[in-house]
Amino acid sequence: MKQTERANFGSKLGIILATAGSAVGLGNVWRFPYMTGQNGGAAFILIYFACVLILAIPCMISEFIIGRRGQANAVRSFEKIGGRGWKIIGVMGVITGFLICSFYSVVSGWCLEYIYASVAGQLEGNPDYVRTYYNAFVSSPWKPLLCLVVFLLMTHLIIVRGVERGIEKASKLMMPVLFVLLIGIVAASCMLPGASNGISYMFKPDWQSVSSGVFLSALGQAFFSLSLGMGCLVTYASYFNRQTDLTKASIQIALIDSLIAILAGLMIFPAAFAVGVSPDSGPSLVFITLPNVFREAFAAVPAVSYVVAIMFYALLTLAALTSLISLHEVCTSYLHEELHISRHRGAIIVTAICLVLGVLCSLSLGAYPEIQLFGMSLFDLFDYVTSQYLMPIGGFLTCLLLGWFVPKPISRDEFTNGGTLRGQFFTIYFFLVRYVCPIAILFIFLHQFGVL
Ligand code: PHE
């Protein structure tokens, strides 16, 4: 495919918002709070931010370099910059894309159900009632499946409209509204009686509670939340233009993503403590705590509570949609460009595979718990394997490639946009990808397995 034929994001703002749209999603609002809760609170958050700053940002710049240089899907971009053998990172990325798409669309479907339930006023009740509602919904044999199908079809329709008209336009509109609404809900949550316990849970580290798995969980969460280590940002960077400042873009995206994660924590934990929901209750945390926030915080004006609940789930759905689009795009662009089939047909194949895997994931959580592998439900297994193994390994290999195998002038040229940007940060970046990132990621793995 010739360079000029490739689609591009239309503007600077479009690039940032579309990429941030991929990063910001259920990873921030659903996964970050429950991972924080399961890993002991503030100490996890600090380790998480260290991972973002020292490991994730350099990995993100590396993926941008590979994608913009490669001007192709993830597999081809890795092959172009590193040679045949390195294409394996791209292949791993496409496989990871399918796995994440599958369980991600299940949770996205839950958001759709919660929009409906909020409109119908079905979430109004005490914490026990809300918990029962969640459990009954998740284990119903058909409701979550219906939501999953609707969600995947919505994603499919945007994907076939193409990069600029579909992805970019959607992100530009949704991101700012989500941000404003989040701030409003944080304020409401922090004003609940007893909320201060939740705030100190988030900001006062208890180093005693740091177990050996916390480091890999924090690293995995950083990669998951920033869409790293699976070719997603390589694919998006192939739509960047030559003027994009890659370092600036990666810092901006990491900042936006971290801010939203912190806001999500500030929305969930004060409320969880106020209404007596345990912070380590896992994937159900957001879905059980929030309806209580809406009910209690706005008790004086029920109409406000009603509208805020609907808007919140609608925006979470949209945030999930922009992330799912980027996951889908990794797989679609691969099939389209490598198998020489139309984008349309590629998208149909991806949607069909995700539908089958997604249905199995959803059933494994509720109606058919016997759908298990290695002692975990399929849903948990896909979540665990992708974020704790495939993504950090993808990031590790990407850093090895750029730090040791790609000639330095090539990365410098891409980093500085052909010498037009000042390159004083290149030395720091190069030191981080060559030494710090591979050694730290390796260290975290060895620590996880008890070797160190
Ligand atoms: N970063 C997204 C989120 O936080 C999830 C995602 C992972 C998207 C990997 C694309 C690739 O919700």
Side-chain angles (χ1 to χ4, degrees), residues 35-162:
M35 288 301 283
T36 305
Q38 287 184 332
N39 287 288
F44 172 86
I45 298 185
L46 283 180
I47 301 172
Y48 171 80
F49 282 120
C51 289
V52 169
L53 198 66
I54 303 168
L55 308 178
I57 292 181
C59 279
M60 198 187 306
I61 299 177
S62 307
E63 291 201 16
F64 285 166
I65 289 178
I66 295 167
R68 195 175 57 177
R69 188 95 191 167
Q71 290 289 306
N73 64 81
V75 177
R76 177 102 58 98
S77 291
F78 274 107
E79 186 177 6
K80 271 188 182 169
I81 202 160
R84 270 190 81 86
W86 290 96
K87 129 181 179 180
I88 183 76
I89 312 180
V91 173
M92 262 172 54
V94 174
I95 296 172
T96 310
F98 276 114
L99 299 182
I100 302 182
C101 252
S102 311
F103 75 84
Y104 204 89
S105 42
V106 173
V107 184
S108 308
W110 297 351
C111 300
L112 277 187
E113 157 71 16
Y114 271 61
I115 300 181
Y116 168 77
S118 312
V119 172
Q122 287 172 353
L123 292 174
E124 286 153 21
N126 62 27
D128 281 339
Y129 165 79
V130 178
R131 181 176 293 116
T132 316
Y133 184 92
Y134 170 82
N135 289 333
F137 165 68
V138 172
S139 51
S140 145
W142 62 271
K143 265 189 171 178
L145 301 191
L146 181 68
C147 297
L148 162 80
V149 172
V150 173
F151 205 91
L152 269 172
L153 289 182
M154 278 165 36
T155 310
H156 183 88
L157 288 181
I158 298 189
I159 283 283
V160 294
R161 292 194 76 193

Side-chain angles (χ1 to χ4, degrees), residues 22-23 25-28 100 104 224-225 227 230 232 323 326-327 391:
S22 161
L26 297 174
N28 309 59
I100 302 182
Y104 204 89
F224 185 88
S225 189
S227 314
M230 47 80 60
C232 178
S323 299
S326 70
L327 283 158
M391 299 172 103

Side-chain angles (χ1 to χ4, degrees), residues 274-429:
V275 297
V277 173
S278 165
D280 64 358
S281 45
S284 61
L285 183 65
V286 173
F287 291 94
I288 295 180
T289 346
L290 279 180
N292 291 301
V293 180
F294 301 139
R295 186 177 44 86
E296 287 199 16
F298 306 106
V301 225
V304 174
S305 141
Y306 184 79
V307 173
V308 168
I310 298 172
M311 276 184 71
F312 176 78
Y313 289 115
L315 287 166
L316 187 56
T317 303
L318 297 178
L321 188 62
T322 49
S323 299
L324 198 60
I325 288 168
S326 70
L327 283 158
H328 199 296
E329 178 66 21
V330 174
C331 307
T332 304
S333 64
Y334 167 71
L335 294 182
H336 165 52
E337 292 175 7
E338 298 305 305
L339 304 188
H340 305 293
I341 53 179
S342 69
R343 230 188 114 77
H344 203 93
R345 185 168 291 179
I348 292 179
I349 298 176
V350 176
T351 304
I353 295 178
C354 292
L355 208 59
V356 174
L357 290 176
V359 165
L360 291 175
C361 279
S362 179
L363 291 175
S364 78
L365 268 191
Y368 292 96
E370 56 278 10
I371 308 183
Q372 283 198 354
L373 269 177
F374 310 112
M376 276 189 229
S377 68
L378 205 59
F379 179 98
D380 289 337
L381 182 75
F382 282 6
D383 180 346
Y384 178 75
V385 167
T386 49
S387 66
Q388 306 253 25
Y389 293 97
L390 292 171
M391 299 172 103
I393 293 173
F396 173 77
L397 294 175
T398 305
C399 291
L400 279 191
L401 172 62
L402 277 184
W404 295 90
F405 294 94
V406 171
K408 203 168 162 182
I410 293 191
S411 356
R412 188 197 295 273
D413 182 62
E414 211 54 55
F415 189 95
T416 58
N417 290 351
T420 53
L421 298 172
R422 276 178 296 145
Q424 79 264 45
F425 292 122
F426 182 76
T427 322
I428 306 176
Y429 157 76

